[in-house]
C-alpha cells in the first residue's frame, strides 16, 4: 500500500505542475504573421498602335526597392519612373520589360509586346525630264554619265544591298580607327567622270537617313569653285531630319550659287560632296553616319 500511495502522490504532483505551466503560458500567447512577398503589377494603355503614336505604361507593384523599364524601339528607351509615356516612330514588333527589385532584394520581370504599324510607303514618283544620278528606279528616262565615289578623308563609303530608300544605298561612316593625321574632319565625293552642265535643272533631290547630331555641308564643285548648303541637327532644312528614317531632301541648286556666285553650273564635276563643318571634331560627335540613296536632278 505504501508503494501505491507514493505513486499516486507523484502523479498528483505531475498533474499540478502541468496545469501550472499551461495556465502560466496563457498570458504569453502572441499572434504570428507570415511575411507577404511583394508583387509585380503593371499596365499598358495599348499594345497595338500606329507609328508616331504613344503608349503609357503604369507600374503598381508592391514592396518596391527599385524600378527599371526598358522600351525596345521606343523613346525614351529606358526609365526608372512608375508612369512613362513612350513614343514609337517606326513599325515593328517591340518588347517592353519592367524589372522590379523588391525590398527583400528579390527580382521580378514583366513584359509587354507592342505591335507598331509602319506608315504607308508613298509611291515614288519620278518627275518628267529628271536626270538620274544614283538610283535603282527604272522610271527615269535620263541618266547622268558614269560616276565616281571618292573618300577624300575619314569617310568610309560602302554600298549596302538592302534596306535603302528603294533597294541598295551608299553608307558614309567613320572608320573604326581614325587616321593618325587630319582626323578631325571628314569628306567624301560623288563626282561626274566629265564636266556636266546642270544649269537647266532647279533642284538636287536625294534620300538621306541619319541620326547624327553633327553639322554637315553638302557641297557642289566646278573646276575650281565650291558652293554649299549647311545643315545643323535641329532645323530640318530642305527636309533633312535626324530621326534615323529615310527622308527626301530637296535642295534648290540656286542656293549653292547664292553661297558662291562664282560656281559655274555649266561645268560641274563634283555633284555631291559631304563635308564636316570646322571646327567640329567628327571623332567627338554622336554617330557621324549618313546613308544616301535616290539622287536625281529635277526642273
Amino acid at each position: 500500500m505504501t508503494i501505491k500511495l507514493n505513486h499516486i502522490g507523484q502523479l498528483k504532483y505531475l498533474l499540478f505542475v502541468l496545469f501550472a505551466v499551461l495556465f502560466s503560458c496563457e498570458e504569453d500567447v502572441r499572434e504570428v504573421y507570415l511575411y507577404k512577398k511583394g508583387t509585380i503589377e503593371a499596365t499598358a494603355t495599348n499594345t497595338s498602335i500606329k507609328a508616331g503614336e504613344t503608349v503609357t505604361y503604369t507600374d503598381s507593384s508592391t514592396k518596391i526597392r527599385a524600378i527599371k523599364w526598358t522600351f525596345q524601339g521606343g523613346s525614351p528607351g529606358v526609365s526608372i519612373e512608375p508612369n512613362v509615356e513612350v513614343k514609337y516612330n517606326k513599325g515593328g514588333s517591340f518588347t517592353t520589360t519592367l524589372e522590379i527589385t523588391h525590398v527583400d532584394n528579390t527580382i521580378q520581370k514583366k513584359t509587354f509586346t507592342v505591335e507598331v504599324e509602319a506608315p504607308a510607303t508613298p509611291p515614288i514618283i519620278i518627275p518628267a525630264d529628271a536626270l538620274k544620278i544614283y538610283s535603282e528606279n527604272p522610271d527615269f528616262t535620263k541618266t547622268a554619265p558614269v560616276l565616281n565615289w571618292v573618300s577624300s578623308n575619314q569617310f568610309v563609303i560602302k554600298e549596302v544591298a538592302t534596306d535603302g530608300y528603294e533597294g541598295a544605298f551608299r553608307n558614309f561612316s567613320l572608320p573604326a580607327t581614325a587616321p593618325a593625321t587630319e582626323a578631325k574632319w571628314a569628306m567624301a565625293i560623288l563626282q561626274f567622270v566629265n564636266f556636266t552642265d546642270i544649269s537647266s535643272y532647279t533642284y538636287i533631290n536625294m534620300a538621306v537617313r541619319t541620326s547624327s547630331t553633327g553639322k554637315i555641308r553638302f557641297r557642289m564643285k566646278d573646276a575650281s569653285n565650291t558652293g554649299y548648303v549647311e545643315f545643323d541637327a535641329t532645323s530640318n532644312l530642305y527636309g533633312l531630319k535626324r530621326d534615323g528614317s529615310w527622308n527626301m531632301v530637296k535642295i534648290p541648286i540656286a542656293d549653292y550659287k547664292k553661297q558662291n556666285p562664282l560656281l559655274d553650273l555649266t561645268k560641274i564635276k563634283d555633284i555631291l560632296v559631304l563635308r564636316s563643318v570646322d571646327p567640329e571634331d567628327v571623332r567627338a560627335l554622336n554617330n557621324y553616319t549618313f546613308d544616301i540613296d535616290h539622287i536625281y536632278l529635277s526642273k
Side-chain angles (χ1 to χ4, degrees):
M1 292 297 293
T2 304
I3 295 175
K4 289 182 180 179
L5 290 173
N6 288 340
H7 280 295
I8 292 172
Q10 291 177 354
L11 181 60
K12 288 181 178 179
Y13 177 76
L14 289 174
L15 289 173
F16 173 77
V17 172
L18 178 61
F19 280 107
V21 170
L22 288 174
F23 284 109
S24 65
C25 291
E26 185 174 342
E27 295 180 358
D28 295 331
V29 173
R30 299 288 187 270
E31 293 186 14
V32 177
Y33 296 93
L34 296 177
Y35 174 75
K36 187 176 181 180
K37 297 179 69 65
T39 60
I40 185 168
E41 303 288 345
T43 59
T45 53
N46 207 338
T47 55
S48 180
I49 62 172
K50 294 181 180 181
E53 295 181 343
T54 61
V55 176
T56 298
Y57 297 92
T58 301
D59 169 61
S60 55
S61 304
T62 62
K63 299 188 177 180
I64 301 169
R65 183 184 296 276
I67 300 173
K68 181 181 179 182
W69 292 96
T70 303
F71 307 107
Q72 181 189 27
S75 179
V78 295
S79 178
I80 58 173
E81 300 297 327
N83 302 312
V84 193
E85 184 177 74
V86 181
K87 186 174 183 179
Y88 295 86
N89 291 316
K90 296 181 180 180
S93 181
F94 304 108
T95 300
T96 290
T97 302
L98 170 62
E99 180 180 295
I100 294 293
T101 302
H102 295 288
V103 292
D104 61 356
N105 286 324
T106 59
I107 295 175
Q108 288 185 297
K109 294 183 180 181
K110 182 180 179 67
T111 61
F112 299 85
T113 299
V114 181
E115 302 293 338
V116 183
E117 181 182 339
T121 303
I124 299 174
I125 300 174
I126 306 303
D129 295 323
L131 179 67
K132 180 176 77 172
I133 297 175
Y134 174 72
S135 177
E136 295 180 344
N137 195 299
D139 295 336
F140 285 99
T141 59
K142 297 181 181 179
T143 302
V146 178
L147 304 169
N148 289 327
W149 299 85
V150 182
S151 178
S152 177
N153 191 70
Q154 279 277 65
F155 270 133
V156 176
I157 306 173
K158 296 181 292 185
E159 183 163 41
V160 183
T162 59
D163 194 35
Y165 183 75
E166 54 172 5
F169 66 95
R170 297 281 174 152
N171 168 264
F172 298 76
S173 56
L174 300 181
T177 303
T181 59
E182 297 295 335
K184 70 179 183 179
W185 61 277
M187 186 168 76
I189 305 167
L190 172 58
Q191 60 183 195
F192 297 124
V193 171
N194 301 309
F195 290 107
T196 301
D197 183 355
I198 67 166
S199 60
S200 64
Y201 293 94
T202 305
Y203 300 99
I204 180 169
N205 309 268
M206 68 194 79
V208 182
R209 179 174 64 186
T210 185
S211 57
S212 172
T213 57
K215 294 181 180 180
I216 193 166
R217 289 175 180 171
F218 288 0
R219 306 198 313 194
M220 192 179 292
K221 186 175 182 294
D222 60 20
S224 56
N225 301 295
T226 298
Y228 64 82
V229 294
E230 184 173 310
F231 302 87
D232 60 29
T234 60
S235 65
N236 297 335
L237 185 65
Y238 307 119
L240 179 59
K241 300 177 183 179
R242 310 300 183 99
D243 60 1
S245 300
W246 285 107
N247 294 284
M248 281 303 301
V249 179
K250 187 175 185 178
I251 307 171
I253 295 174
D255 286 3
Y256 291 89
K257 183 84 171 175
K258 181 180 179 180
Q259 192 277 323
N260 185 358
L262 297 178
L263 183 66
D264 187 352
L265 298 178
T266 66
K267 296 179 180 179
I268 294 298
K269 186 63 180 291
D270 299 344
I271 186 63
L272 177 63
V273 181
L274 273 64
R275 174 63 161 87
S276 61
V277 180
D278 298 332
E280 284 189 342
D281 187 337
V282 296
R283 296 168 298 182
L285 295 174
N286 174 34
N287 188 22
Y288 205 67
T289 299
F290 298 85
D291 297 328
I292 306 291
D293 196 5
H294 196 54
I295 309 172
Y296 65 92
L297 303 180
S298 62
K299 296 185 176 181

